[in-house]
Amino acid sequence: MCETNGVLTRAERSAVRAGLRRFALQTAGGFLTSPRNRPREQAPFPEFPDTAVASTAVEFARKQGTTLLFHGYRTWFLGTALARADRIEVDAELLFVTSLLHDSGMLTSVPGEDFTRRSADTVLEVFDRAGAPRRRALEAADAVVAHATPGLDRTADPVGYYVQSGAMADLAGLRRWHLPPGTLGQAYAQYPSHDLRRTLSALARRNAEEVPGGRMALYVPKPLGKALRWALNFSAG
């Protein structure tokens, strides 16, 4: 990302398209089998990590405004719940910080630069302000960049995977069939939407125009964009 600002090579575009196909198949399968897969016990609301990095992340996240701030909190809550459902151990501090700030780069327009690079820079600054180890900062920044790529491996990059899963559960109800009943409602009761879908849709389209050779240009308004709009309408109904 630092070398290319998010412009994909031909091989990378092929890999992203392959990830989109797997994503679509998994999503369709999930909708079809959802009644059999849903857990019965409600997920407890997780506690905020009590660390300097987490506190600094909240300070930075508040600058995004309520819409993205609350999306970050819901992403964290739903990503945590999905990790528990999958019985996957995820670093609680890294998941919290990256969830809160994964879309922060969208608020600034920089032609030719993928928004996740700016989000990653913000995460690096958070860790630096808190005096945290550089290796953890880089791990969080990598997860932020990765979250916008379909087909992540939850064992290879659990933080990036569960940021992506939590965000997609929030935006379109995806993987809701792996959540206990009432989990999505609990997330929205705690942190209301504030017109998130319209806001993020406009920001994603802008980033697609800024980086025509990047990931967003493959998603918006191509087949994934149509699929997501269908999923949004389905989940809203």
Side-chain angles (χ1 to χ4, degrees):
M1 178 63 70
C2 291
E3 293 175 355
T4 68
N5 282 334
V7 176
L8 304 175
T9 65
R10 179 178 296 181
E12 288 168 342
R13 285 195 297 272
S14 296
V16 168
R17 291 190 180 102
L20 286 175
R21 289 191 290 270
R22 291 194 301 273
F23 181 83
L25 289 172
Q26 291 167 358
T27 299
F31 275 122
L32 292 173
T33 62
S34 57
R36 298 195 300 271
N37 291 338
R38 185 178 290 258
R40 296 183 179 181
E41 295 183 4
Q42 190 164 3
F45 205 89
E47 295 183 1
F48 296 160
D50 185 17
T51 67
V53 172
S55 298
T56 306
V58 171
E59 292 178 15
F60 276 67
R62 285 173 177 162
K63 299 175 184 177
Q64 301 174 105
T66 303
T67 299
L68 286 189
L69 173 65
F70 281 14
H71 171 54
Y73 277 123
R74 292 192 304 272
T75 294
W76 162 68
F77 172 48
L78 296 171
T80 300
L82 286 168
R84 286 174 175 166
D86 294 339
R87 298 183 180 181
I88 298 292
E89 291 290 332
V90 183
D91 188 301
E93 181 183 68
L94 295 186
L95 182 59
F96 181 78
V97 173
T98 53
S99 293
L100 258 59
L101 296 168
H102 68 280
D103 283 337
S104 59
M106 281 190 166
L107 294 174
T108 305
S109 177
V110 181
E113 181 179 86
D114 187 283
F115 78 93
T116 61
R117 176 170 183 175
R118 300 189 292 278
S119 298
D121 286 340
T122 299
V123 166
L124 292 174
E125 186 176 354
V126 164
F127 277 81
D128 184 58
R129 289 275 188 94
R134 185 68 174 177
R135 61 174 179 79
R136 289 184 61 76
L138 291 172
E139 186 177 352
D142 283 346
V144 165
V145 170
H147 95 272
T149 301
L152 297 181
D153 184 338
R154 67 187 181 191
T155 58
D157 183 8
V159 178
Y161 177 86
Y162 286 106
V163 171
Q164 181 183 92
S165 296
M168 293 309 297
D170 182 32
L171 290 169
L174 302 186
R175 287 208 66 192
R176 64 184 181 183
W177 45 86
H178 293 144
L179 292 168
T183 303
L184 279 173
Q186 185 182 4
Y188 274 87
Q190 189 80 13
Y191 301 106
S193 172
H194 290 283
D195 203 20
L196 171 71
R197 291 166 181 170
R198 182 180 299 177
T199 299
L200 272 189
S201 178
L203 292 173
R205 285 196 301 270
R206 184 175 73 178
N207 195 241
E209 294 170 356
E210 291 167 347
V211 192
R215 289 171 294 180
M216 286 297 110
L218 291 178
Y219 308 156
V220 182
K222 301 291 176 60
L224 178 63
K226 296 178 182 178
L228 288 181
R229 285 195 294 276
W230 175 84
L232 289 172
N233 293 332
F234 182 91
S235 62

